[in-house]
Amino acid sequence: MTEPVLTVENVTMRFGGIVANQNVNFKVDKGAITALIGPNGAGKTTLFNCITGFYRASEGRIVLSTAEGPRDIGALLSRPIVGGSHLVTRAGIARTFQNIRLFREMTVVENLLVAQHLDTEANLLSGVFKSAVFRRAEAEAVERAFYWLGQMNLVDDANRLAGELPYGRQRRLEIARAMCTSPRLICLDEPAAGLNPAETIELSEVIQRLRADHDLTVMVIEHDMHLVMSISDHVVVFDHGVVIADGTPKEVANDPAVVAAYLGVEEKEVAE
Amino acid sequence: MDNAKIPAKLLKEAVFTFVLSLIVFGPISGLVLTGFTVENKLARPLIIASVVTIGRVLFTLFLETSLGRRLIARMAGTAGSGVTVESGNERFPYAAVAIAFAVGLAFPLMADEYWLGVAILALIYVLLGLGLNIVVGLAGLLDLGFVAFYAVGAYLLALGAQYLGLGFWGALALAPLIAAFCGMVLAFPVLRMHGDYLAIVTLGFGEIIRLVLNNWLDFTGGPNGAAVPAPTFLGLEFTRTARQGGTPFHEFFGISYSADYKFWFIYLVLFLVVAAVIYVVNRLKSMPIGRLWEALREDEIACRSLGVNHVATKLSAFMLGASTGGVAGVFFAVHQGFVNPTSFTFFESALILAIVVLGGLGSTLGVVMAALVLTILPEVLRDFAEYRVLVFGILMVVMMVWRPRGLVRIKRPAFFPSSAPAAVPALAAAEAAQ
């Protein structure tokens, strides 16, 4: 558990004059569940966007260690012509979104098939003439999609439109879709937002099972402190774009800076 | 609605309709200008208004019957998402497709010259619709300049024949490549744009091509256009006497000459090309590339998060759509025997877009039907003479109100695993507890 999968070094993200993240440093250990917490507007999602390649960090380095050696996320993004955020996913980082982004008018299975496009992308002619290679690749993709539907308990909804599913299932489908890209690191942006307590418990089981069974490292942004404290191995606390605490859940919970900056503000609000 | 309220509702509607139609029809039918005086003919608007009111009351009464209610329910149902998932038990309609194919092939035997011309035009629009459907319907990129690729195909044959001695078959083979190249050139600057901006840039591109064709007198012939050579079949010409030596088609087969043979030939080649394109487009939809296009239409950001190269995906949609448009252009040129820039105005782009939208974005069958309806309907409506375009417009408005998602509902394929995957027990228990 000592080898870091992701190293964030001195990352600063500016939007014009606004500094969203300043000099952020932390490591994500392999096989661990790392939680990013902090008040709204603390810069958690901005950092997520930097890690998953949606933003290019203004300064600093984000390095993912892969089977083929370390990969600098910033370098993937700035590659001429072919560069872009899709390379980050191909390097092994998958993500979900705070406001669910499914392909709503496609079926649940099709959502998962889209995610496997790298494995099924046979050439055009073999697809047009339904060659044996093409059919085998398609069949395997469907099998893999159903495997993940089984893992997420969504098999009964396989042939429904993704947009028709209840909210909790849409959340699980989004995780299943991210898993279909065979990631090393999955970044979940507020996966428990809008879930009821039973669904939250289910979600924590899902996350822990993913980590245990699939050799996966998990990063999660979450406001549900009960969930964060129960599942995470490592917690990084943000406030105003800087890391104010970094350690095990217990260490962080007792950190005076966290209590002051995070919980203290809320108490003051109550007092007003 | 409960039955007691119907008379009150009817009365209200009747009065409202009567007053409204009096206001509308009063001035135009009640006051007649004779010489320099205005004559009052107030009885006429009263009669018209009464007829309209009676019609409205009958319509309302009809909607209250069980048949009417069912109709409303059906309309409301289709107005919803408009997308359904197949059950997995659907069979491919081999018989229907075979019959349609046979009828299509045999059509020249039944039709006269006029209707054959209409059919060729209709099939050209089917091709255009299928091409634009890839760009707009599947990939969700609003393209208002699609006619540019149509022009590229048509002028490729006309100018290729003039300068390079290119024939019909050569142009047919080259057109997809050249048009795809133009599609790529257009796509590069617009890849970062969405929605409205994309529409405006493509609109500009369509106009640029037309203006170049119009103003480059030395090369394209400008507004005077360019002649297009007649097609040949294995080197046989369709003229009465061979112009370039050799034997004409009818002499070779020992049959009497008819000017129709050329159109038969164009129709048959076009029909086979359309059939092939329909097949390919249908395959594309169930291939990874087709799913990527549709995913890109649904949510570009989610696509990027799944490692989809959105630039390459958009580019492929533009190029494949453009190449289909280019092929359509070649057929248009060879059918007309002459091309000039007035055939490639914005109105054509709008018509092709109307075909795609009316057919149902993304539906192949819908696009084919809409293309046939939109090209054949104006011919049928010739009886209405000058009201033709008005009736055409009204029909389009009515279509969009009743079937906002297009003629044909989109169906998504169903998938089944080879064996039932084992559900995870812990999760199943948690779900049951809810």
Side-chain angles (χ1 to χ4, degrees):
Chain A
M1 295 273 259
T2 51
E3 178 207 345
V5 163
L6 188 80
T7 316
V8 178
E9 284 174 10
N10 305 322
V11 167
T12 298
M13 183 71 206
R14 285 189 213 93
F15 296 103
I18 297 165
V19 181
N21 292 121
Q22 192 161 27
N23 207 19
V24 173
N25 285 287
F26 65 88
K27 286 189 167 74
V28 176
D29 289 330
K30 184 166 166 41
I33 296 177
T34 302
L36 302 189
I37 62 171
N40 284 328
K44 307 179 299 286
T45 298
T46 305
L47 188 69
F48 246 44
N49 284 338
C50 290
I51 291 172
T52 52
F54 279 82
Y55 297 153
R56 171 141 171 62
S58 313
E59 282 168 31
R61 265 157 50 93
I62 302 172
V63 179
L64 177 76
S65 83
T66 68
E68 295 91 43
R71 287 283 167 79
D72 186 333
I73 301 295
L76 289 180
L77 291 182
S78 50
R79 237 183 236 181
I81 301 174
V82 294
S85 55
H86 59 278
L87 292 181
V88 176
T89 310
R90 294 180 189 188
I93 299 181
R95 74 169 294 176
T96 63
F97 294 88
Q98 195 171 339
N99 41 352
I100 302 174
R101 286 184 174 276
L102 291 170
F103 307 126
R104 300 178 60 85
E105 291 202 344
M106 298 172 81
T107 67
V108 168
V109 179
E110 282 179 303
N111 266 270
L112 301 188
L113 291 180
V114 168
Q116 299 179 48
H117 63 100
L118 291 177
D119 305 313
T120 49
E121 206 168 274
N123 81 42
L124 274 182
L125 287 180
S126 87
V128 167
F129 296 112
K130 285 196 213 175
S131 72
V133 177
F134 172 79
R135 273 177 301 189
R136 202 175 322 121
E138 282 290 285
E140 278 169 15
V142 171
E143 289 304 309
R144 206 171 314 125
F146 272 94
Y147 169 77
W148 281 110
L149 289 180
Q151 290 288 307
M152 296 290 165
N153 200 20
L154 287 167
V155 174
D156 294 340
D157 300 315
N159 289 314
R160 288 176 68 186
L161 294 183
E164 286 176 355
L165 295 185
Y167 194 78
R169 290 177 190 213
Q170 291 194 6
R171 284 260 174 227
R172 272 187 276 148
L173 174 59
E174 208 185 14
I175 297 176
R177 190 179 66 178
M179 288 309 298
C180 277
T181 63
S182 324
R184 292 169 58 80
L185 170 68
I186 186 168
C187 300
L188 307 174
D189 196 346
E190 299 200 20
L195 300 189
N196 65 31
E199 286 171 330
T200 307
I201 293 170
E202 208 181 313
L203 176 78
S204 77
E205 283 171 13
V206 166
I207 294 175
Q208 283 171 315
R209 207 152 33 76
L210 285 181
R211 188 256 299 259
D213 299 351
H214 300 284
D215 186 30
L216 189 71
T217 308
V218 182
M219 259 181 93
V220 55
I221 291 180
E222 190 46 70
H223 285 296
D224 184 334
M225 281 309 128
H226 186 72
L227 179 69
V228 168
M229 292 302 163
S230 64
I231 65 168
S232 47
D233 307 303
H234 177 195
V235 178
V236 180
V237 189
F238 276 76
D239 193 21
H240 296 106
V242 294
V243 175
I244 56 168
D246 180 352
T248 62
K250 199 169 272 178
E251 286 167 15
V252 166
N254 298 325
D255 192 314
V258 176
V259 177
Y262 193 84
L263 302 172
V265 172
E266 287 184 347
E267 278 176 4
K268 213 166 74 190
E269 273 174 3
V270 171
E272 280 165 7
Chain B
M1 182 191 291
D2 94 63
N3 287 334
K5 280 191 191 156
I6 290 178
K9 184 189 163 197
L10 275 182
L11 188 68
K12 214 170 93 185
E13 271 188 2
V15 171
F16 184 71
T17 314
F18 189 76
V19 172
L20 209 64
S21 35
L22 264 189
I23 295 172
V24 173
F25 293 112
I28 55 170
S29 65
L31 302 172
V32 181
L33 198 64
T34 17
F36 293 104
T37 56
V38 176
E39 237 178 285
N40 276 334
K41 294 205 170 169
L42 287 177
R44 293 207 305 205
L46 283 175
I47 293 169
I48 295 177
S50 313
V51 170
V52 171
T53 309
I54 291 168
R56 170 76 222 190
V57 168
L58 287 179
F59 185 67
T60 311
L61 279 175
F62 166 72
L63 287 185
E64 292 300 332
T65 62
S66 62
L67 184 72
R69 281 181 199 199
R70 248 181 298 152
L71 208 65
I72 291 178
R74 252 189 68 197
M75 293 297 174
T78 53
S81 85
V83 182
T84 50
V85 184
E86 290 178 347
S87 64
N89 299 324
E90 286 87 355
R91 294 243 176 82
F92 185 76
Y94 285 104
V97 171
I99 290 171
F101 191 77
V103 169
L105 274 184
F107 182 77
L109 299 174
M110 306 177 243
D112 60 7
E113 198 183 338
Y114 170 68
W115 280 107
L116 195 60
V118 172
I120 289 173
L121 208 61
L123 285 181
I124 288 172
Y125 278 99
V126 169
L127 263 188
L128 288 169
L130 288 171
L132 190 63
N133 191 33
I134 293 177
V135 184
V136 179
L138 295 179
L141 305 163
L142 184 54
D143 183 350
L144 291 181
F146 194 69
V147 76
F149 308 119
Y150 187 36
V152 165
Y155 267 88
L156 174 75
L157 177 54
L159 300 181
Q162 195 176 330
Y163 294 105
L164 305 169
L166 199 65
F168 168 67
W169 292 102
L172 197 57
L174 269 180
L177 304 178
I178 306 267
F181 177 75
C182 290
M184 195 175 76
V185 171
L186 166 65
F188 263 118
V190 304
L191 285 171
R192 295 189 178 282
M193 299 179 189
H194 301 269
D196 313 349
Y197 308 103
L198 179 73
I200 290 168
V201 174
T202 51
L203 177 67
F205 183 77
E207 286 301 288
I208 287 172
I209 293 268
R210 191 177 63 83
L211 288 174
V212 167
L213 294 176
N214 208 15
N215 292 319
W216 196 357
L217 272 172
D218 306 335
F219 184 61
T220 65
N224 300 329
V228 177
T232 55
F233 174 66
L234 300 174
L236 304 173
E237 294 174 61
F238 291 94
T239 44
R240 187 179 287 277
T241 51
R243 292 196 185 133
Q244 300 139 7
T247 40
F249 179 79
H250 62 101
E251 278 178 20
F252 186 83
F253 286 99
I255 44 181
S256 61
Y257 171 75
S258 161
D260 290 351
Y261 291 149
K262 186 178 100 177
F263 296 106
W264 285 34
F265 168 75
I266 295 172
Y267 176 84
L268 288 177
V269 176
L270 178 57
F271 183 77
L272 293 177
V273 168
V274 168
V277 169
I278 289 175
Y279 172 76
V280 170
V281 168
N282 249 345
R283 284 299 309 150
L284 281 175
K285 274 163 73 175
S286 52
M287 276 161 57
I289 182 93
R291 285 196 293 263
L292 288 188
W293 288 337
E294 294 195 77
L296 205 64
R297 177 190 68 199
E298 296 286 309
D299 195 325
E300 185 175 330
I301 290 179
C303 272
R304 282 163 61 192
S305 85
L306 297 172
V308 175
N309 186 341
H310 61 288
V311 174
T313 310
K314 280 184 187 177
L315 213 56
S316 63
F318 253 107
M319 289 172 70
L320 278 170
S323 59
T324 315
V327 171
V330 171
F331 280 105
F332 176 75
V334 84
H335 177 232
Q336 301 282 319
F338 168 79
V339 286
N340 88 345
T342 51
S343 309
F344 308 106
T345 55
F346 172 68
F347 182 77
E348 292 295 308
S349 287
L351 186 62
I352 305 165
L353 192 64
I355 287 173
V356 174
V357 174
L358 280 179
L361 290 168
S363 160
T364 311
L365 178 66
V367 167
V368 172
M369 281 167 56
L372 294 179
V373 167
L374 285 200
T375 44
I376 294 172
L377 200 62
E379 299 302 325
V380 177
L381 290 177
R382 278 193 191 281
D383 293 345
F384 292 88
E386 60 259 48
Y387 296 106
R388 190 162 72 110
V389 180
L390 180 69
V391 173
F392 186 63
I394 290 173
L395 281 174
M396 280 176 77
V397 171
V398 168
M399 269 286 312
M400 281 292 99
V401 170
W402 275 358
R403 285 247 169 189
R405 296 293 298 258
L407 278 171
V408 176
R409 296 181 81 174
I410 310 280
K411 288 226 170 189
R412 308 241 43 121
F415 291 92
F416 299 95
S418 54
S419 58
V424 182
L427 261 182
E431 189 119 306
Q434 278 177 37

